[in-house]
Amino acid sequence: MTDTQQTETKLAPGDAAPGFTLPTADGGTVSLDAYRGKRVILYFYPAAMTPGCTKQACDFRDNLAQLTDEGFVVLGVSKDKPAKLAKFAERDALTFPLLSDPELAVHQAYGAYGAKKLYGKEVVGVIRSTFVIDGEGKIEQALYNVKATGHVASLKKKLGLA
């Protein structure tokens, strides 16, 4: 798929989470099916090593112990290549999987790529989004156009963890 293709798909609670297998920063792959029986926080971000995405990733990192203790798995997805994700993970000590989706197929399946406002102009790109997927593979929360700063605290509140 090209960067100009976009999707009108928006997921909602109760929808089946689209399955995927994507390459990771460390050269492996991660499949959503591997997490059946666990709750997954799947978040999409525009680009590794940019200020907002770094803030968001570090926020997940800093809250990872609590999220893990509560039974959640955190997965971050961007269109970056695995080598860039590896640098991002190393630079910021990110200990959860970072997944590479350069063709944007998974972004589009989740409605995390399309038209958005950026500095008052409409552009097409990655829509910063977070999904909570239950152990049965159903969407529990579908949050689109989230802010990088303060998002994890807001998410924890929605999940009753704050």
Side-chain angles (χ1 to χ4, degrees), residues 135-157:
E136 309 292 306
K138 298 268 188 233
I139 301 291
E140 255 182 64
Q141 305 255 352
L143 309 168
Y144 292 96
N145 296 305
V146 302
K147 301 283 180 232
T149 303
H151 173 59
V152 175
S154 168
L155 179 62
K156 283 172 45 178
K157 211 174 262 180

mmCIF file of all heavy atoms in Angstrom, residues 135-157:
data_model
loop_
_atom_site.group_PDB
_atom_site.id
_atom_site.type_symbol
_atom_site.label_atom_id
_atom_site.label_comp_id
_atom_site.label_asym_id
_atom_site.label_seq_id
_atom_site.Cartn_x
_atom_site.Cartn_y
_atom_site.Cartn_z
ATOM 1 N N GLY A 135 -8.626 -10.590 26.151
ATOM 2 C CA GLY A 135 -8.034 -11.914 25.980
ATOM 3 C C GLY A 135 -8.689 -12.764 24.911
ATOM 4 O O GLY A 135 -8.114 -13.754 24.460
ATOM 5 N N GLU A 136 -9.894 -12.367 24.494
ATOM 6 C CA GLU A 136 -10.606 -13.094 23.425
ATOM 7 C C GLU A 136 -10.327 -12.502 22.050
ATOM 8 O O GLU A 136 -10.876 -12.972 21.061
ATOM 9 C CB GLU A 136 -12.128 -13.031 23.679
ATOM 10 C CG GLU A 136 -12.540 -13.449 25.074
ATOM 11 C CD GLU A 136 -12.309 -14.923 25.305
ATOM 12 O OE1 GLU A 136 -12.804 -15.732 24.501
ATOM 13 O OE2 GLU A 136 -11.610 -15.258 26.274
ATOM 14 N N GLY A 137 -9.532 -11.434 21.999
ATOM 15 C CA GLY A 137 -9.233 -10.802 20.713
ATOM 16 C C GLY A 137 -10.251 -9.774 20.284
ATOM 17 O O GLY A 137 -10.336 -9.421 19.109
ATOM 18 N N LYS A 138 -11.021 -9.241 21.219
ATOM 19 C CA LYS A 138 -12.024 -8.204 20.919
ATOM 20 C C LYS A 138 -11.504 -6.846 21.399
ATOM 21 O O LYS A 138 -10.797 -6.749 22.400
ATOM 22 C CB LYS A 138 -13.338 -8.493 21.635
ATOM 23 C CG LYS A 138 -13.989 -9.802 21.226
ATOM 24 C CD LYS A 138 -14.950 -9.581 20.107
ATOM 25 C CE LYS A 138 -15.749 -10.836 19.820
ATOM 26 N NZ LYS A 138 -15.671 -11.207 18.428
ATOM 27 N N ILE A 139 -11.913 -5.809 20.685
ATOM 28 C CA ILE A 139 -11.551 -4.445 21.065
ATOM 29 C C ILE A 139 -12.329 -4.053 22.329
ATOM 30 O O ILE A 139 -13.549 -4.143 22.357
ATOM 31 C CB ILE A 139 -11.874 -3.447 19.926
ATOM 32 C CG1 ILE A 139 -11.116 -3.800 18.639
ATOM 33 C CG2 ILE A 139 -11.621 -2.005 20.367
ATOM 34 C CD1 ILE A 139 -9.632 -3.594 18.677
ATOM 35 N N GLU A 140 -11.584 -3.634 23.354
ATOM 36 C CA GLU A 140 -12.198 -3.108 24.585
ATOM 37 C C GLU A 140 -12.288 -1.594 24.512
ATOM 38 O O GLU A 140 -13.271 -1.006 24.938
ATOM 39 C CB GLU A 140 -11.293 -3.448 25.787
ATOM 40 C CG GLU A 140 -11.774 -4.541 26.664
ATOM 41 C CD GLU A 140 -10.809 -4.736 27.842
ATOM 42 O OE1 GLU A 140 -10.648 -3.820 28.676
ATOM 43 O OE2 GLU A 140 -10.220 -5.829 27.906
ATOM 44 N N GLN A 141 -11.218 -0.973 24.037
ATOM 45 C CA GLN A 141 -11.146 0.481 23.877
ATOM 46 C C GLN A 141 -10.514 0.772 22.520
ATOM 47 O O GLN A 141 -9.557 0.104 22.134
ATOM 48 C CB GLN A 141 -10.243 1.106 24.945
ATOM 49 C CG GLN A 141 -10.598 0.782 26.349
ATOM 50 C CD GLN A 141 -11.261 1.953 27.057
ATOM 51 O OE1 GLN A 141 -11.324 3.065 26.555
ATOM 52 N NE2 GLN A 141 -11.772 1.680 28.219
ATOM 53 N N ALA A 142 -11.073 1.767 21.822
ATOM 54 C CA ALA A 142 -10.501 2.248 20.568
ATOM 55 C C ALA A 142 -10.386 3.757 20.689
ATOM 56 O O ALA A 142 -11.398 4.457 20.681
ATOM 57 C CB ALA A 142 -11.387 1.861 19.384
ATOM 58 N N LEU A 143 -9.165 4.240 20.873
ATOM 59 C CA LEU A 143 -8.926 5.661 21.129
ATOM 60 C C LEU A 143 -8.131 6.254 19.963
ATOM 61 O O LEU A 143 -6.976 5.884 19.750
ATOM 62 C CB LEU A 143 -8.156 5.824 22.445
ATOM 63 C CG LEU A 143 -8.767 5.092 23.651
ATOM 64 C CD1 LEU A 143 -7.800 5.067 24.811
ATOM 65 C CD2 LEU A 143 -10.093 5.721 24.036
ATOM 66 N N TYR A 144 -8.764 7.166 19.235
ATOM 67 C CA TYR A 144 -8.135 7.798 18.074
ATOM 68 C C TYR A 144 -7.734 9.236 18.403
ATOM 69 O O TYR A 144 -8.347 9.882 19.253
ATOM 70 C CB TYR A 144 -9.102 7.803 16.885
ATOM 71 C CG TYR A 144 -9.378 6.415 16.347
ATOM 72 C CD1 TYR A 144 -10.499 5.706 16.745
ATOM 73 C CD2 TYR A 144 -8.496 5.819 15.453
ATOM 74 C CE1 TYR A 144 -10.743 4.421 16.253
ATOM 75 C CE2 TYR A 144 -8.729 4.547 14.964
ATOM 76 C CZ TYR A 144 -9.859 3.851 15.363
ATOM 77 O OH TYR A 144 -10.094 2.593 14.877
ATOM 78 N N ASN A 145 -6.710 9.729 17.694
ATOM 79 C CA ASN A 145 -6.240 11.112 17.846
ATOM 80 C C ASN A 145 -5.859 11.429 19.288
ATOM 81 O O ASN A 145 -6.197 12.488 19.807
ATOM 82 C CB ASN A 145 -7.300 12.104 17.341
ATOM 83 C CG ASN A 145 -7.554 11.943 15.861
ATOM 84 O OD1 ASN A 145 -6.632 12.007 15.058
ATOM 85 N ND2 ASN A 145 -8.807 11.701 15.504
ATOM 86 N N VAL A 146 -5.165 10.496 19.930
ATOM 87 C CA VAL A 146 -4.749 10.733 21.315
ATOM 88 C C VAL A 146 -3.552 11.681 21.335
ATOM 89 O O VAL A 146 -2.827 11.811 20.342
ATOM 90 C CB VAL A 146 -4.415 9.408 22.054
ATOM 91 C CG1 VAL A 146 -5.611 8.471 22.043
ATOM 92 C CG2 VAL A 146 -3.197 8.721 21.471
ATOM 93 N N LYS A 147 -3.344 12.334 22.446
ATOM 94 C CA LYS A 147 -2.194 13.219 22.634
ATOM 95 C C LYS A 147 -1.022 12.392 23.141
ATOM 96 O O LYS A 147 -1.194 11.459 23.919
ATOM 97 C CB LYS A 147 -2.526 14.308 23.660
ATOM 98 C CG LYS A 147 -3.708 15.168 23.274
ATOM 99 C CD LYS A 147 -3.327 16.170 22.213
ATOM 100 C CE LYS A 147 -4.490 17.032 21.808
ATOM 101 N NZ LYS A 147 -4.721 17.065 20.399
ATOM 102 N N ALA A 148 0.184 12.741 22.737
ATOM 103 C CA ALA A 148 1.374 12.013 23.187
ATOM 104 C C ALA A 148 1.599 12.224 24.680
ATOM 105 O O ALA A 148 1.899 11.288 25.415
ATOM 106 C CB ALA A 148 2.599 12.474 22.403
ATOM 107 N N THR A 149 1.434 13.457 25.130
ATOM 108 C CA THR A 149 1.695 13.793 26.525
ATOM 109 C C THR A 149 0.450 13.534 27.366
ATOM 110 O O THR A 149 -0.642 13.987 27.024
ATOM 111 C CB THR A 149 2.114 15.275 26.641
ATOM 112 O OG1 THR A 149 3.257 15.471 25.814
ATOM 113 C CG2 THR A 149 2.452 15.643 28.072
ATOM 114 N N GLY A 150 0.620 12.789 28.447
ATOM 115 C CA GLY A 150 -0.494 12.522 29.353
ATOM 116 C C GLY A 150 -1.397 11.377 28.938
ATOM 117 O O GLY A 150 -2.348 11.040 29.640
ATOM 118 N N HIS A 151 -1.102 10.759 27.802
ATOM 119 C CA HIS A 151 -1.986 9.704 27.301
ATOM 120 C C HIS A 151 -2.009 8.474 28.206
ATOM 121 O O HIS A 151 -3.062 7.906 28.462
ATOM 122 C CB HIS A 151 -1.588 9.295 25.879
ATOM 123 C CG HIS A 151 -2.343 8.107 25.379
ATOM 124 N ND1 HIS A 151 -3.716 8.101 25.294
ATOM 125 C CD2 HIS A 151 -1.934 6.885 24.985
ATOM 126 C CE1 HIS A 151 -4.110 6.911 24.860
ATOM 127 N NE2 HIS A 151 -3.040 6.165 24.663
ATOM 128 N N VAL A 152 -0.862 8.045 28.704
ATOM 129 C CA VAL A 152 -0.818 6.831 29.524
ATOM 130 C C VAL A 152 -1.609 7.043 30.816
ATOM 131 O O VAL A 152 -2.364 6.164 31.229
ATOM 132 C CB VAL A 152 0.626 6.365 29.780
ATOM 133 C CG1 VAL A 152 0.659 5.172 30.722
ATOM 134 C CG2 VAL A 152 1.300 6.000 28.452
ATOM 135 N N ALA A 153 -1.488 8.222 31.429
ATOM 136 C CA ALA A 153 -2.263 8.516 32.643
ATOM 137 C C ALA A 153 -3.761 8.472 32.339
ATOM 138 O O ALA A 153 -4.547 7.900 33.107
ATOM 139 C CB ALA A 153 -1.872 9.880 33.205
ATOM 140 N N SER A 154 -4.150 9.045 31.206
ATOM 141 C CA SER A 154 -5.557 9.034 30.792
ATOM 142 C C SER A 154 -6.032 7.596 30.540
ATOM 143 O O SER A 154 -7.132 7.207 30.953
ATOM 144 C CB SER A 154 -5.703 9.895 29.535
ATOM 145 O OG SER A 154 -6.953 9.711 28.940
ATOM 146 N N LEU A 155 -5.207 6.812 29.877
ATOM 147 C CA LEU A 155 -5.544 5.420 29.587
ATOM 148 C C LEU A 155 -5.688 4.623 30.880
ATOM 149 O O LEU A 155 -6.637 3.841 31.044
ATOM 150 C CB LEU A 155 -4.465 4.792 28.691
ATOM 151 C CG LEU A 155 -4.669 3.326 28.311
ATOM 152 C CD1 LEU A 155 -5.948 3.143 27.501
ATOM 153 C CD2 LEU A 155 -3.468 2.833 27.522
ATOM 154 N N LYS A 156 -4.757 4.813 31.812
ATOM 155 C CA LYS A 156 -4.835 4.097 33.093
ATOM 156 C C LYS A 156 -6.141 4.435 33.821
ATOM 157 O O LYS A 156 -6.764 3.559 34.418
ATOM 158 C CB LYS A 156 -3.626 4.439 33.957
ATOM 159 C CG LYS A 156 -2.358 3.707 33.512
ATOM 160 C CD LYS A 156 -1.097 4.152 34.202
ATOM 161 C CE LYS A 156 -1.207 4.331 35.681
ATOM 162 N NZ LYS A 156 0.071 4.724 36.312
ATOM 163 N N LYS A 157 -6.570 5.685 33.725
ATOM 164 C CA LYS A 157 -7.826 6.096 34.342
ATOM 165 C C LYS A 157 -8.995 5.345 33.703
ATOM 166 O O LYS A 157 -9.876 4.814 34.398
ATOM 167 C CB LYS A 157 -7.999 7.603 34.178
ATOM 168 C CG LYS A 157 -8.764 8.272 35.311
ATOM 169 C CD LYS A 157 -8.769 9.775 35.141
ATOM 170 C CE LYS A 157 -7.694 10.387 36.009
ATOM 171 N NZ LYS A 157 -7.598 11.822 35.940
#
